[in-house]
């Protein structure tokens, strides 16, 4: 790496280089990857800041990735080996964990006591704790995390006897006792008890906020009828069974294929089973339950507000937590998406057909997104894992539609919450466990900021989906923060490459600076830069969607690009001259890459001695000299471990020496 006072003139320098043996052992040959002949220049003036948030956007950007679905292992039984992941999660600043389907056995008895059922047949109810929810909440406390709860995906066991809620009407839990609670009021009591149990337990730790969502991706949740010849019926009610549990199946025809795409059409008895994207999943399933939990949260917030022990702690509700892509896969001319109709029902007191019936508080508008679904803009669902030609175009279409609808009801201050996301929803290929996903997240996070996302949750913390069992090899392709390597009784956690990028972002400090990358044509380089009075942080990423998606065989090869970094007004002072420390971290095809580790282990019959380290690697650490506030760096130098950047990410952290 050359450090220049002015173009063409090397400055004096002291080197403190860390030359990694693994890097040299796995370096790509020139026959495998081409080196760009022309350099790109990344120009930064640290005295300038971007207008968004006055430049103070790093906390928001980090808040998009500092959460994931809680580890499956602690859902099966208390597992001390899971504690190995805590330092790795702390390394990216994890704040929350999402708990999905952990309330399946929670319930309330006829006297209003909250507790849980066991998994026996028939189940036995015990007042007090509800498992596995209690184990998950204990783990949150240990990990100093706040809860992000996805609740009420299925019907609690004690309510099965009453049938679907659309049939409850004014019926009471004891039909022979006119003083017993109405079934609907009993369920509302259950909702308040569940919210209270989660919040008070979480608030004994560091949690200041508990965020709730209702159900999960109800727009596409699998719930297909079970047919025996010409006789069809929906799945049974109860834990892990029917997602569309509120709706009365007697109100639609299993022999019809007609669908409702507008909520105003949902009472047509000639309609068939509500397939993916049908509006009945909204007005006759999600919205009634969402309203009950929104009211429950309002009530419990008021209760806790009377107790000084909960000062400053709040419970929030988000929704609708849908998959998102029904915005484009719906038949042409069928009107607004389910998400847009959700916003209208929640905020418009004159919404058809319900008026203000489903008006309710909403602290965050939540939705899901994966980079691979961009292909659905031009392909049918059968080709959902094909090439992505316009990265983030669908994402922009989604967020623009959501914000426009919120603005229409003067709700522009409701923040966007990306409550489930990742590079790819396709389990095949290596996008979610190689440098491909790392390049994608580096490019995506600034895009999410630009589109107004303020909070997020990565799909999952670990890729072990069999609760309490061994790590499933097939789950390696899951969009998780960590890979569980080993067996059920002996395993460790390894960061995936995109998690190494999250760690890079977490190392950055200061306000966001304006940056110019030239030339803009023919290059896949971009940069995200922050600085303060003692540091400048330059994240450079080489992202080409042609190399990331639908490249499972890795037959498409890219071009590594040389670049120079030109920093003006370093450390936000006029004319600083003196030493600076330059640390370069990198994630690419050969560095900080879990795929290299897995490939090595597979090639050596599981022996990982000598395998490349998949954790974030510091490939350079040296002293350079700034002159009159100017510093220039080059990406590669003969004889240096540094190199041009192919598909991947590099972070230059420049600090006062």
């Amino acid at each position: 790496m050359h450090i220049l006072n002015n173009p063409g003139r090397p400055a004096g320098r002291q080197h403190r280089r860390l030359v990694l043996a693994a890097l040299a052992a796995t370096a790509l040959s020139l026959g495998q990857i081409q080196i760009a002949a022309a350099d790109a220049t990344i120009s930064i003036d640290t005295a300038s800041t971007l207008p968004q948030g006055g430049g103070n956007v790093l906390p928001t950007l980090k808040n998009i990735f500092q959460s994931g679905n809680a580890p499956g292992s602690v859902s099966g039984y208390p597992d001390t080996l899971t504690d190995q992941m805590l330092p790795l999660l702390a390394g990216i600043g994890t704040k929350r964990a999402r708990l999905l389907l952990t309330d399946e056995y929670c319930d309330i008895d006829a006297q209003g006591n909250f507790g849980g059922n066991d998994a026996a047949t028939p189940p036995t109810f015990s007042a007090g704790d509800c498992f596995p929810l209690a184990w998950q909440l204990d783990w949150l406390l240990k990990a100093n995390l706040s809860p992000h709860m996805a609740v009420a995906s299925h019907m609690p066991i004690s309510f099965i006897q009453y049938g679907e809620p659309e049939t409850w009407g004014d019926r009471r839990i004891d039909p022979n006792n006119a003083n017993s609670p109405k079934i609907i009021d009993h369920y509302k009591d259950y909702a308040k008890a569940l919210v209270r149990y989660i919040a008070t337990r979480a608030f004994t730790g560091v949690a200041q906020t508990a965020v709730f969502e209702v159900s999960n991706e109800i727009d596409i949740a699998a719930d297909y009828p079970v047919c025996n010849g010409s006789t069809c019926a929906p799945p049974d009610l109860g834990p892990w069974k029917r997602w569309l549990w509120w709706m009365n199946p007697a109100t639609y025809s299993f022999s019809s294929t007609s669908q409702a795409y507008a909520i105003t059409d949902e009472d047509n008895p000639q309609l068939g089973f509500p397939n993916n994207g049908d509006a009945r999943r909204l007005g006759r399933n999600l919205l009634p339950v969402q309203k009950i939990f929104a009211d429950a949260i309002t009530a419990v917030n008021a209760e806790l507000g009377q107790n000084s022990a909960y000062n400053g702690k709040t419970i929030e509700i988000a929704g609708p937590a849908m998959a998102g892509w029904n915005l484009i896969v719906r038949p042409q001319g069928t009107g607004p998406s389910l998400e847009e109709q959700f916003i209208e029902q929640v905020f418009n007191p004159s919404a058809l057909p319900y008026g203000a019936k489903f008006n309710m508080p909403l602290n965050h508008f939540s939705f899901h997104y994966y980079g691979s679904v961009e292909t659905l803009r031009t392909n049918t669902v059968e080709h959902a894992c094909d090439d992505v030609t316009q990265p983030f175009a669908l994402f922009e279409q989604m967020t623009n539609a959501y914000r426009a609808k919120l603005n229409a009801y003067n709700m522009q201050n409701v923040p966007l919450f990306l409550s489930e996301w990742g590079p790819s929803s396709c389990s095949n290929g290596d996008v979610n466990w190689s440098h491909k996903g790392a390049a994608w997240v580096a490019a995506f996070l600034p895009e999410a900021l630009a589109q107004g996302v303020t909070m997020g949750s990565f799909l999952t913390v670990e890729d072990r989906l069999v609760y309490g069992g061994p790590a499933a090899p097939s789950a390696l392709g899951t969009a998780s923060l960590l890979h569980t390597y080993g067996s059920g009784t002996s395993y460790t956690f390894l960061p995936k490459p995109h998690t190494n990028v999250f760690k890079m972002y977490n190392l950055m400090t200061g306000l966001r600076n304006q940056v110019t990358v030239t030339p803009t044509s023919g290059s896949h380089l971009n940069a995200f830069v922050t600085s303060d009075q003692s540091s400048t942080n330059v994240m450079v990423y080489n992202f080409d969607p042609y190399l990331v998606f639908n490249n499972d065989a890795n037959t498409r090869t890219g071009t590594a690009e040389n670049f120079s970094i030109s920093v003006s007004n370093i450390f936000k002072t006029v004319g600083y001259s003196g030493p600076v420390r330059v640390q370069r971290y990198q994630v690419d095809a050969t560095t900080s890459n879990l795929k290299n580790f897995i490939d090595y282990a597979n090639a050596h019959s599981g022996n990982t001695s000598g395998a490349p380290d998949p954790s974030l690697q510091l490939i350079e650490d040296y002293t350079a000299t700034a002159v009159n506030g100017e510093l220039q760096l080059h990406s590669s130098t003969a004889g240096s471990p540094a190199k041009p950047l192919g598909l991947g990410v590099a972070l230059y952290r420049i600090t006062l020496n």
Side-chain angles (χ1 to χ4, degrees):
M1 177 176 286
H2 293 298
I3 294 87
L4 306 178
N5 292 335
N6 50 60
R9 183 175 179 182
R13 59 184 177 178
Q14 276 185 297
H15 292 287
R16 295 197 310 262
R17 299 201 183 274
L18 302 179
V19 183
L20 304 178
L23 191 67
T26 58
L28 290 174
S29 70
L30 292 180
Q32 293 172 293
I33 189 165
Q34 297 176 327
I35 305 300
D39 291 341
T41 300
I42 299 168
S43 303
I44 305 144
D45 182 352
T46 66
S48 69
T49 56
L50 286 182
Q52 183 183 13
N56 189 26
V57 296
L58 260 181
T60 302
L61 182 146
K62 295 175 183 180
N63 200 35
I64 298 172
F65 65 75
Q66 290 174 331
S67 177
N69 208 73
S73 55
V74 297
S75 291
Y77 56 88
D79 182 357
T80 56
L81 286 177
T82 304
D83 293 351
Q84 298 175 90
M85 72 171 62
L86 298 182
L88 297 174
L89 296 179
I92 64 171
T94 306
K95 299 176 180 178
R96 294 176 304 281
R98 179 180 178 227
L99 275 59
L100 171 65
L101 300 174
T102 60
D103 61 323
E104 292 293 290
Y105 296 107
C106 296
D107 213 333
I108 190 173
D109 66 14
Q111 290 71 44
N113 299 306
F114 178 81
N117 295 285
D118 59 23
T121 305
T124 299
F125 175 83
S126 298
D129 283 322
C130 168
F131 297 96
L133 175 59
W135 287 324
Q136 292 268 8
L137 292 172
D138 286 346
W139 182 82
L140 290 183
L141 292 174
K142 181 190 295 186
N144 293 320
L145 302 177
S146 299
H148 162 202
M149 300 298 310
V151 298
S153 293
H154 302 103
M155 179 181 277
I157 288 174
S158 71
F159 288 85
I160 297 173
Q161 60 186 310
Y162 308 121
E164 293 81 4
E166 280 192 338
T167 70
W168 290 350
D170 290 330
R171 287 192 290 135
R172 300 181 182 275
I173 60 173
D174 182 353
N176 300 315
N177 182 356
N179 294 319
S180 71
K182 292 180 180 179
I183 303 170
I184 186 64
D185 292 335
H186 193 53
Y187 185 79
K188 291 177 181 178
D189 288 342
Y190 163 73
K192 284 188 284 188
L194 178 63
V195 170
R196 186 184 301 110
Y197 174 79
I198 292 168
T200 55
R201 196 173 178 114
F203 290 163
T204 62
V206 300
Q208 295 295 306
T209 303
V211 181
F212 282 75
E213 292 177 300
V214 171
S215 195
N216 181 61
E217 297 188 345
I218 199 63
D219 52 336
I220 63 169
D223 213 17
Y224 299 108
V226 178
C227 296
N228 182 7
S230 60
T231 302
C232 297
D236 291 339
L237 294 169
W240 306 98
K241 293 180 180 177
R242 195 191 309 177
W243 289 83
L244 302 178
W245 58 273
W246 193 271
M247 189 187 315
N248 180 9
T251 60
Y252 55 81
S253 171
F254 287 105
S255 62
S256 173
T257 58
S258 299
Q259 299 288 289
Y261 293 105
I263 199 168
T264 51
D265 298 331
E266 64 182 15
D267 283 334
N268 182 350
Q270 304 303 314
L271 296 172
F273 173 81
N275 291 319
N276 293 349
D278 188 289
R280 288 168 292 173
R281 290 172 172 253
L282 178 62
R284 295 178 56 192
N285 201 86
L286 176 63
L287 281 169
V289 189
Q290 181 95 17
K291 171 66 171 172
I292 287 172
F293 273 88
D295 290 346
I297 287 169
T298 298
V300 177
N301 268 327
E303 287 177 21
L304 300 187
Q306 304 302 312
N307 188 332
S308 60
Y310 300 112
N311 284 348
K313 299 179 185 287
T314 59
I315 314 167
E316 299 178 342
I317 190 163
M322 292 186 184
W325 40 274
N326 80 82
L327 187 74
I328 54 169
V329 300
R330 293 156 61 83
Q332 292 297 315
T334 52
S337 67
L338 295 189
E339 293 91 335
E340 292 168 293
Q341 294 183 70
F342 174 89
I343 292 171
E344 181 167 4
Q345 294 296 323
V346 168
F347 294 120
N348 182 4
S350 301
L352 296 175
Y354 294 110
K357 178 179 179 180
F358 295 128
N359 285 185
M360 66 185 100
L362 190 73
N363 302 105
H364 306 270
F365 178 83
S366 63
F367 66 106
H368 298 174
Y369 172 77
Y370 291 85
S372 58
V373 304
E374 289 286 343
T375 188
L376 292 175
R377 296 183 67 253
T378 54
N379 289 322
T380 58
V381 175
E382 293 75 24
H383 298 278
C385 297
D386 285 2
D387 288 356
V388 170
T389 56
Q390 292 182 274
F392 316 135
L394 171 58
F395 182 73
E396 292 176 7
Q397 183 181 348
M398 291 164 61
T399 53
N400 287 340
Y402 304 155
R403 285 188 283 110
K405 198 70 174 178
L406 289 167
N407 291 347
Y409 299 110
N410 199 32
M411 290 295 165
Q412 58 271 14
N413 292 329
V414 175
L416 300 186
F417 177 19
L418 194 54
S419 62
E420 182 183 305
W421 69 279
S424 178
S425 59
C426 305
S427 58
N428 58 306
D430 57 8
V431 175
N432 289 327
W433 53 287
S434 75
H435 62 299
K436 296 175 185 176
W440 183 86
V441 299
F444 173 69
L445 285 168
E447 175 69 24
L449 269 182
Q451 296 306 313
V453 176
T454 62
M455 187 163 75
S457 182
F458 208 69
L459 171 58
T460 186
V461 168
E462 62 162 334
D463 53 13
R464 178 175 45 172
L465 303 181
V466 181
Y467 288 168
S474 61
L476 181 62
T478 300
S480 61
L481 297 174
L482 307 173
H483 172 54
T484 315
Y485 186 78
S487 68
T489 56
S490 177
Y491 60 86
T492 189
F493 297 102
L494 303 174
K496 290 191 172 179
H498 47 251
T499 306
N500 288 331
V501 175
F502 298 154
K503 188 170 184 178
M504 287 180 174
Y505 272 119
N506 202 43
L507 289 171
M508 300 174 75
T509 57
L511 303 180
R512 186 179 182 185
N513 298 123
Q514 298 193 33
V515 58
T516 303
V517 180
T518 54
T520 56
S521 61
S523 174
H524 295 291
L525 293 178
N526 213 327
F528 183 93
V529 182
T530 64
S531 64
D532 51 31
Q533 272 105 15
S534 60
S535 72
T536 295
N537 309 274
V538 185
M539 180 180 286
V540 184
Y541 49 92
N542 185 332
F543 170 60
D544 180 356
Y546 181 71
L547 303 180
V548 173
F549 299 104
N550 198 27
N551 188 22
D552 299 348
N554 295 301
T555 54
R556 301 172 183 174
T557 58
T559 300
E561 299 188 46
N562 282 302
F563 56 88
S564 61
I565 298 174
S566 177
V567 184
S568 300
N569 297 309
I570 194 165
F571 306 137
K572 299 184 182 296
T573 57
V574 177
Y576 172 79
S577 295
V580 299
R581 182 181 183 183
V582 180
Q583 294 169 290
R584 178 178 176 177
Y585 301 86
Q586 193 143 309
V587 181
D588 61 17
T590 63
T591 314
S592 315
N593 193 341
L594 177 65
K595 186 177 187 302
N596 283 355
F597 177 92
I598 297 296
D599 288 348
Y600 182 98
N602 290 340
H604 293 79
S605 303
N607 184 355
T608 59
S609 177
D613 189 344
S615 60
L616 181 61
Q617 299 298 296
L618 177 67
I619 67 169
E620 285 192 300
D621 188 348
Y622 61 92
T623 299
T625 302
V627 177
N628 295 324
E630 305 290 322
L631 179 69
Q632 292 195 21
L633 312 174
H634 278 187
S635 60
S636 62
T637 303
S640 162
K643 55 189 178 180
L645 184 65
L647 184 70
V649 190
L651 171 66
Y652 290 79
R653 180 155 169 77
I654 306 163
T655 55
L656 282 169
N657 204 352

